[in-house]
Amino acid sequence: MSRMGDAPVPDVLARLGWLLQHGKADEAQRLCEQARQQPGMDPAVLDLWLARTYLHQGRAREAVDLLGALQARSPAGTALLAPVGMALAHAWRQLGHAQAERLSLEQVLSIQPGAFLALLRLGQLWQAEGQAEAALRSYFAAIYHVLQI
């Protein structure tokens, strides 16, 4: 079991990312629960990481519920809204709800117009529906925004 001790907040978040990348979602969930006791941890950030953990555990419905609540209580313009929207899109994809996934991706793009992964996934959705022109527009927008950097 992972121990946090007095690890700074960025270290906890980096550890969460590492655990999820290495298939240790159960340990990441325990770390999220422990991190709630650490001073300086933003509960909204922990909710996002917990939802990501749920997605890695195949608990998409719980992720949707948590992310929806997080969206509802986050003020407009909050930096967290774009990553919450991407996680929500991923949850809807796991549940097989393409329309809800598309709406989440469009919401991300309304916050962050050049979000590469949102544009790429939106293109994939359009392509799967046989909407080649819309898919190409989305793919070209993704490439355009990458080349602008």
Side-chain angles (χ1 to χ4, degrees), residues 114-117 119-120 137-147:
F116 175 78
L117 291 177
L119 288 165
L120 179 64
R137 276 194 308 270
S138 190
Y139 292 142
F140 285 142
I143 293 168
Y144 173 81
H145 286 289
V146 167
L147 295 177

Side-chain angles (χ1 to χ4, degrees), residues 65-112:
D65 293 342
L66 182 58
L67 293 163
L70 182 54
Q71 265 186 337
R73 71 176 190 264
S74 297
T78 303
L80 202 59
L81 286 176
V84 167
M86 285 302 298
L88 193 54
H90 184 78
W92 286 124
R93 180 171 58 247
Q94 279 190 10
L95 292 169
H97 296 290
Q99 183 61 26
E101 179 185 2
R102 181 182 298 102
L103 291 173
S104 292
L105 293 169
E106 289 171 352
Q107 186 176 26
V108 168
L109 292 169
S110 73
I111 297 165
Q112 195 175 31

Side-chain angles (χ1 to χ4, degrees), residues 122-123 126-127 129-141:
L122 195 55
W126 287 125
Q127 186 176 359
E129 292 181 8
Q131 301 290 326
E133 191 172 311
L136 284 173
R137 276 194 308 270
S138 190
Y139 292 142
F140 285 142

